[in-house]
Amino acid sequence: MPGSGRQTSRPAAGPGGRSDGRSDGVDGAATGPSGRPATRPTSRDVAQLAGVSQSTVSLVLAGKWTGRVSPGTAEAVHEAAARLGYRPNQAARSLRLGRTRTVLLVLPTLSSPFFGALYTGAARVAAGHGFRIVVYPWPDGAGPADNPFAAPHEAIDGILASSMAVEALSEFRGTPVVMLDSDPAGAAPTVDFDVADGMRRVAGHVLGLGHRHVGHVAADVDEWTFRSRGRALAAAVEATPGGRLSRVTAAIDVAAARRAAGGLLRRPDRPTVLVCDDDQLAAGAYKAARELGLDVPAGLSITGFDDVLLATALEPELTTVRLPAEELGAAGMATLLEMLEGGAPRSRSLPGELVVRGSTAPPP
Amino acid sequence: MPGSGRQTSRPAAGPGGRSDGRSDGVDGAATGPSGRPATRPTSRDVAQLAGVSQSTVSLVLAGKWTGRVSPGTAEAVHEAAARLGYRPNQAARSLRLGRTRTVLLVLPTLSSPFFGALYTGAARVAAGHGFRIVVYPWPDGAGPADNPFAAPHEAIDGILASSMAVEALSEFRGTPVVMLDSDPAGAAPTVDFDVADGMRRVAGHVLGLGHRHVGHVAADVDEWTFRSRGRALAAAVEATPGGRLSRVTAAIDVAAARRAAGGLLRRPDRPTVLVCDDDQLAAGAYKAARELGLDVPAGLSITGFDDVLLATALEPELTTVRLPAEELGAAGMATLLEMLEGGAPRSRSLPGELVVRGSTAPPP
DNA sequence: CTGTTAGCGCGTTCAG
DNA sequence: CTGAACGCGCTAACAG
């Protein structure tokens, strides 16, 4: 939604202390105070201003000068760098070091608040270590045509990939990778949500309310996270005396979920609760219920999964499992950084939290 | 929502034709077929294999060899490059050329499907011209603490910024910029939605249904797009005999919108239609209506703006204005590329489309 | 038509 | 403790 970001106002002065009020952000070439074309300062410029040599500048700014450069000289270098607004040229740095301090974040889509939050968490940790993130949405839709996004193969040090099979990354073979929200049985280190536990909590909640015939509106997507959810629900229901499970599948799409849930609810012995694999599926279930004149939650209970925006936009608000996306991104990035420093990190799992709202009640 | 992307399966063979089944994506260092550490092939390797010099390789692969290199030699170079799986080193390229073929996409947030679509459109156009996109979410939330995202100042050729004031980019002064969904009165070229026209269509629709007292649930955000919407609605209502407008504002947030809309509806002479600046605000308005026992659309009509996921998840489905986010991204990138090639592109405006669904009806 | 040369800006030896 | 020299991989000039 355009413009939905909070308004952010920033001081008008640019970096380097120039606050002359000129607004040349549109022009292709900025000009320095003297009118010459302003080519950005290099480490040589800093050296010259500080009266030392390039290598000294390099040492000082890299922070490994103790015992090799006199404190006075170091101070002079820092001051010169600050005065010129010096920032090292990334291209030259990468070329020399062979590392880019850039991580590729591979996501199935950007069209979901969930992945936005994931990015935020990852970016926070990355920034703290001087790493940059390039987002690489795996083309969704558009069919199996050739990948329209040029793969930045070698411009990255590592990969953080979410919600996909590790095999999908064969293109990047040879690059360190950490998988998020993916099958921990793969070869790569993984950071996951404990979705099985989350689903058990959902099951415990609805079974505790007295429900026995549970309808499962499952996502028609063959991915680890949904397989886990399905297994956990089935196990919990089976372990309950009198428990019974009916399952339908649907694409993650409101209209598809509505059709699938409608089919389930039209059966002569319909379930008293619909446990959905995803909040979007739950939105479809709401529609099916309303279509059949069933009141939620008095006539039918419904649960979701993920706790995205939708959950509180629906009426009644949705009982669901909150998955801490931002923490997932942060933990994943931490794991990847550990790996890049030569470690062999262990896979981890983050708990989900059951959020009980107005869509669940005892069976009618 | 984790896993909500379509499943994508890719051929298992990596680039360069190696399909030996090894899966070393986890290891930090890949090893070549012979077991040596596999340092990626350089243009010199290609030259050696093809029996020519580096510069010839450069010319051929850059595609500007016609009339300078014999077709046979060019063919040999191409073949050698393909056999080695050669890909030019981006860092070296950028260092030499001073250009990065990378564009920064500045967004207020990533937590919205709208901006995901915008990205997709921009990426499509960029890829067609060999450009890469780095997404740079302007820190939303987190307070005015220091920017946690390291600004990639010099690693970019241009900036595409959406839904903000151009002044917010003062940090990037000197870089070519195209603004999206922002005030066209600024100095930078702009690609916008014609939100005023969209709002006029909404107004025409509800006024045509017979509504005269219009409630405006406005976004409490001082941005061009919302100012335009407000002005257009006010003008349309004023131009109608008997027309009357009541306005409340709310943060773009379901709960805030519910409170604001509730206040409007509790007035003794309440409006018969609520025109909302955004779909999320409309979701809040639904809640307020239900709270007061008003049926939508029989007792109260509601409209939104943007046509995001929410619009069809609500019940009844929301009459709103569809804003083609993907086209916006594509048009914006095209404009920026034109600029980078030395042109001085004109600002443009994209039309929105009124989508009439079930939330609007004649007044009771 | 092709090869040789120079240098982009940086980090790192190696002499002094 | 500091400076001069080298090379990362690539492209653009210039020679042959």
Side-chain angles (χ1 to χ4, degrees):
Chain A
M1 51 217 64
S4 69
R6 284 166 202 64
Q7 17 178 348
T8 55
S9 65
R10 295 216 129 213
R18 290 183 300 160
S19 49
D20 51 1
R22 278 185 305 101
S23 166
D24 55 3
V26 185
D27 304 319
T31 54
S34 63
R36 291 176 283 92
T39 139
R40 293 190 335 106
T42 74
S43 70
R44 199 152 53 203
D45 299 331
V46 176
Q48 199 166 357
L49 182 57
V52 298
S53 82
Q54 258 188 80
S55 55
T56 308
V57 172
S58 182
L59 282 175
V60 170
L61 295 185
K64 30 188 174 180
W65 55 278
T66 30
R68 307 214 260 169
V69 176
S70 71
T73 310
E75 175 61 24
V77 169
H78 274 124
E79 192 174 337
R83 271 221 298 168
L84 293 176
Y86 169 73
R87 313 181 117 257
N89 180 312
Q90 280 306 323
R93 220 180 142 80
S94 299
L95 179 58
R96 185 63 181 88
L97 298 177
R99 293 171 301 111
T100 56
R101 293 192 89 76
T102 297
V103 164
L104 195 69
L105 179 60
V106 185
L107 304 172
T109 173
L110 222 41
S111 302
S112 152
F114 180 87
F115 292 111
L118 194 161
Y119 171 91
T120 303
R124 193 181 59 236
V125 172
H129 292 252
F131 271 74
R132 262 204 293 162
I133 292 183
V134 173
V135 180
Y136 183 54
W138 202 258
D140 68 311
D146 63 341
N147 186 334
F149 306 102
H153 279 88
E154 67 286 345
I156 54 168
D157 291 345
I159 297 175
L160 208 51
S162 185
S163 313
M164 57 187 63
V166 66
E167 290 77 28
L169 298 173
S170 63
E171 187 179 344
F172 298 100
R173 183 177 298 184
T175 305
V177 59
V178 168
M179 303 298 300
L180 304 179
D181 183 44
S182 303
D183 194 342
T190 304
V191 182
D192 277 322
F193 293 123
D194 194 345
V195 289
D197 180 66
M199 193 51 109
R200 276 192 292 271
R201 294 187 200 205
V202 170
H205 172 61
V206 299
L207 291 168
L209 285 171
H211 294 274
R212 284 302 171 266
H213 186 183
V214 176
H216 182 199
V217 181
D220 190 14
V221 175
D222 184 28
E223 265 171 24
W224 169 82
T225 189
F226 296 118
R227 291 193 298 267
S228 298
R229 296 175 198 195
R231 274 198 308 267
L233 180 62
V237 172
E238 274 171 26
T240 302
R244 187 174 151 217
L245 188 71
S246 302
R247 172 172 295 167
V248 291
T249 65
I252 300 185
D253 175 71
V254 175
R258 172 193 208 145
R259 285 190 299 272
L264 203 47
L265 294 178
R266 262 182 272 267
R267 294 187 190 171
D269 58 337
R270 64 159 180 261
T272 59
V273 57
L274 254 31
V275 172
C276 305
D277 263 356
D278 177 280
D279 287 359
Q280 255 188 95
L281 295 176
Y286 272 59
K287 293 195 169 237
R290 223 154 249 154
E291 202 170 9
L292 296 175
L294 289 168
D295 181 69
V296 178
L300 176 74
S301 289
I302 295 180
T303 72
F305 218 102
D306 287 1
D307 195 32
V308 291
L309 174 62
L310 266 180
T312 51
L314 293 174
E315 187 72 26
E317 299 194 347
L318 183 64
T319 293
T320 187
V321 174
R322 171 172 300 154
L323 264 23
E326 197 169 327
E327 285 179 41
L328 182 72
M333 182 56 71
T335 302
L336 181 56
L337 291 178
E338 195 182 331
M339 219 173 152
L340 292 180
E341 280 160 14
R346 294 278 303 157
S347 292
R348 297 181 49 193
S349 194
L350 268 33
E353 178 197 358
L354 178 67
V355 182
V356 177
R357 295 202 182 93
S359 68
T360 44
Chain B
M1 54 219 64
S4 69
R6 283 165 203 64
Q7 16 178 350
T8 55
S9 64
R10 291 217 131 214
R18 290 186 300 163
S19 50
D20 51 1
R22 280 185 304 101
S23 167
D24 55 3
V26 185
D27 305 318
T31 54
S34 61
R36 290 176 284 90
T39 140
R40 293 187 338 103
T42 73
S43 71
R44 196 150 57 203
D45 299 332
V46 176
Q48 199 167 357
L49 183 58
V52 298
S53 82
Q54 264 188 75
S55 56
T56 306
V57 172
S58 182
L59 280 177
V60 170
L61 296 185
K64 30 187 175 181
W65 55 277
T66 29
R68 308 217 258 166
V69 176
S70 72
T73 308
E75 175 61 25
V77 169
H78 275 126
E79 192 173 338
R83 271 221 299 169
L84 294 176
Y86 169 74
R87 311 183 117 258
N89 181 313
Q90 278 308 322
R93 220 180 141 79
S94 298
L95 179 57
R96 183 61 235 240
L97 297 177
R99 293 172 303 111
T100 55
R101 294 193 90 77
T102 297
V103 164
L104 195 68
L105 179 60
V106 184
L107 304 171
T109 175
L110 223 40
S111 301
S112 153
F114 179 87
F115 292 110
L118 194 160
Y119 171 91
T120 303
R124 193 182 58 237
V125 172
H129 293 252
F131 271 74
R132 261 204 293 164
I133 293 183
V134 173
V135 180
Y136 184 53
W138 201 257
D140 70 310
D146 63 341
N147 187 332
F149 307 103
H153 279 87
E154 66 286 345
I156 54 168
D157 291 345
I159 297 176
L160 207 52
S162 184
S163 313
M164 57 187 65
V166 67
E167 289 77 28
L169 297 173
S170 63
E171 188 179 344
F172 297 100
R173 183 178 298 185
T175 305
V177 58
V178 168
M179 303 299 300
L180 304 179
D181 182 45
S182 304
D183 193 342
T190 304
V191 182
D192 277 322
F193 294 123
D194 194 344
V195 290
D197 180 65
M199 193 51 111
R200 277 193 291 270
R201 295 189 200 204
V202 170
H205 172 63
V206 299
L207 292 168
L209 285 170
H211 294 273
R212 283 302 172 266
H213 185 184
V214 176
H216 182 199
V217 181
D220 188 15
V221 175
D222 184 27
E223 265 171 23
W224 169 83
T225 187
F226 296 119
R227 290 193 299 269
S228 298
R229 295 175 199 195
R231 275 199 306 268
L233 179 62
V237 172
E238 275 171 27
T240 303
R244 188 175 150 215
L245 187 71
S246 303
R247 173 173 295 168
V248 291
T249 63
I252 300 185
D253 174 71
V254 175
R258 174 192 206 149
R259 285 190 299 273
L264 204 46
L265 294 178
R266 262 182 273 268
R267 294 186 188 173
D269 58 335
R270 66 158 180 261
T272 58
V273 56
L274 255 30
V275 172
C276 304
D277 263 356
D278 176 281
D279 287 358
Q280 253 187 94
L281 294 176
Y286 273 59
K287 293 195 168 235
R290 224 156 248 154
E291 204 170 7
L292 296 175
L294 288 169
D295 182 69
V296 177
L300 176 74
S301 289
I302 295 180
T303 69
F305 217 100
D306 287 0
D307 196 33
V308 292
L309 173 62
L310 267 180
T312 52
L314 294 174
E315 187 70 30
E317 300 193 348
L318 183 64
T319 293
T320 188
V321 174
R322 171 171 299 155
L323 262 24
E326 197 168 327
E327 284 178 42
L328 182 72
M333 182 57 71
T335 302
L336 181 56
L337 291 177
E338 194 182 333
M339 220 172 151
L340 292 181
E341 282 160 13
R346 293 280 302 157
S347 293
R348 296 182 48 192
S349 195
L350 268 34
E353 178 196 358
L354 177 67
V355 182
V356 177
R357 296 203 182 93
S359 68
T360 42

